[in-house]
Amino acid sequence: TFFSKKMKVVILAGGLGTRLSEETHLKPKPMVEIGYRPILWHIMKIYSKFGFNDFIICGGYKVNLIKEFFNNYLLYTHDVHFDYSVGKTTYSNPEFENWKVSVIDTGLNTNTAGRLKRVASLLKDEENFFFTYGDGLADIDINQLNDFHKKNNLIATVTAVVPPGRYGALSINDKIVEDFEEKPKGDSEGRINGGFFVLNKNIFNYIKNDESSFEFDVLPNLSKEKQLQAFMHNSFWRPMDTLRDTHYLNKLWDSGNAPWI
C-alpha cells in the first residue's frame, strides 16, 4: 500500500499559544516556523521517518491557516513555474510526502482531551494510535515507543522526558564558584510529560466532553487505575513554549545538525 504502516497520528494544534504571543497573534502555535517550515511539519516528519503517514490535525485557533498550508503544500515547499500562455503551473525540486492529512476544526475553546474526543469517529477502527502536542520535538524512536506500548498492553503510554534546564547553575563553596554549568538538565528523577503518547481505543471512556483536559482529568485517572505507563526518553526533547525556545530550535536547525531530523 501507499501508506507503509497503518497506525494514525493525532496532533493537537488548536491552542492559543499565549506564551508565544509575539508569533501566535498572527498564526496558531503549530504554524510557527523553524527553518521556514512550521513546527507541525517537523513533528509530522518525525513520525513519517518511521513509516507513519496518516495524520489527524486537531485545529481550533486560526485553523484556516493550517488548512491553507496543506491545501497549498506544493506551492510552499517547491519551486514553482507559471506559464500563463498555456495556463499551466509546474513544480520543481519535488519533495513528495506519502502523507494523508485530515485537518479538523475541533472548536476554539475546546480543552485538550475534548479535542481528541471530537475526532473519535476518525479513529473508530483503530486499536491503538499515536497522540502528541503540536509544539514539541524529540529525537524519539517511534518504533521503540510503539513496541513498548504493545508489550505492556495498558491504555496509555506517555513519553517521560528530562526537562531542559532553563538557567545556569552555580556550585558555590565558601563564596567561591567551584562549578559553573550553563543550563543544566532537570533532575533526572524529575521527568515530565513530553507528549508522544500511544493510546488504546479505550481512552475515550475517560473523556467526558469538550471541557475535559488530557493533563488534569484523563492522565490522573489513568494513573489511579494503573493504566498509564512511562516510556523513558533520555536524549533530545524540547518544547516550543517561548520565543527563546523558538530561537534555540532555529539555531539547531541552522547548524545543519538538528537532533530531531
Side-chain angles (χ1 to χ4, degrees), residues 6-250:
K6 283 290 178 216
M7 274 171 73
K8 292 183 193 273
V9 183
V10 181
I11 304 176
L12 287 179
L16 287 163
T18 45
R19 277 176 298 187
L20 198 55
S21 57
E22 300 91 345
E23 292 261 18
T24 55
H25 69 287
L26 296 172
K27 60 181 82 159
K29 191 177 177 188
M31 295 305 291
V32 174
E33 291 181 352
I34 295 165
Y36 307 111
R37 295 284 162 86
I39 190 168
L40 177 60
W41 177 89
H42 292 267
I43 294 165
M44 291 166 74
K45 281 292 218 183
I46 292 170
Y47 286 97
S48 189
K49 182 170 86 179
F50 293 93
F52 299 100
N53 292 303
D54 196 341
F55 299 96
I56 300 168
I57 315 287
C58 300
Y61 173 68
K62 296 190 184 292
V63 64
N64 286 350
L65 291 176
I66 301 175
K67 291 177 183 174
E68 270 169 31
F69 174 74
F70 288 108
N71 189 48
N72 296 314
Y73 189 75
L74 292 177
L75 201 61
Y76 292 141
T77 55
H78 296 63
D79 292 334
V80 59
H81 312 276
F82 304 99
D83 184 344
Y84 295 113
S85 65
V86 291
K88 192 176 167 200
T89 305
T90 52
Y91 302 95
S92 57
N93 302 335
E95 186 190 299
F96 293 108
E97 309 293 355
N98 281 350
W99 294 353
K100 184 177 167 191
V101 185
S102 301
V103 182
I104 309 299
D105 185 350
T106 54
L108 188 58
N109 300 311
T110 311
N111 213 327
T112 44
R115 293 192 189 283
L116 177 57
K117 195 173 182 74
R118 291 252 196 141
V119 299
S121 63
L122 300 177
L123 296 158
K124 64 181 186 298
D125 300 327
E126 307 298 307
E127 186 64 30
N128 294 292
F129 58 91
F130 297 106
F131 179 61
T132 196
Y133 304 109
D135 63 356
L137 294 170
D139 60 346
I140 183 168
D141 187 318
I142 298 294
N143 287 337
Q144 277 182 12
L145 167 67
N146 195 26
D147 292 344
F148 176 82
H149 174 78
K150 285 181 174 158
K151 190 178 79 198
N152 297 295
N153 208 22
L154 298 186
I155 291 175
T157 300
V158 58
T159 297
V161 298
V162 179
R166 289 277 172 194
Y167 304 100
L170 304 177
S171 174
I172 300 172
N173 184 10
D174 196 22
K175 296 185 184 164
I176 300 295
V177 176
E178 292 188 331
D179 190 22
F180 179 88
E181 193 183 352
E182 183 59 27
K183 298 188 196 62
K185 279 203 165 72
D187 170 19
S188 62
E189 293 308 303
R191 288 176 182 262
I192 61 170
N193 163 14
F196 296 97
F197 297 92
V198 190
L199 304 177
N200 178 269
K201 62 185 177 187
N202 292 318
I203 195 74
F204 293 107
N205 301 333
Y206 291 79
I207 308 173
K208 285 194 185 125
N209 52 31
D210 277 2
E211 278 76 61
S212 299
S213 160
F214 200 71
E215 299 73 27
F216 296 107
D217 301 321
V218 177
L219 294 179
N221 286 332
L222 286 169
S223 62
K224 265 185 218 138
E225 294 181 19
K226 307 228 175 325
Q227 284 294 328
L228 176 65
Q229 63 195 348
F231 175 76
M232 300 295 183
H233 178 67
N234 298 315
S235 50
F236 178 84
W237 173 85
R238 189 82 181 206
M240 188 181 65
D241 276 339
T242 62
L243 205 54
R244 178 176 175 172
D245 292 326
T246 309
H247 292 326
Y248 175 73
L249 291 169
N250 268 294

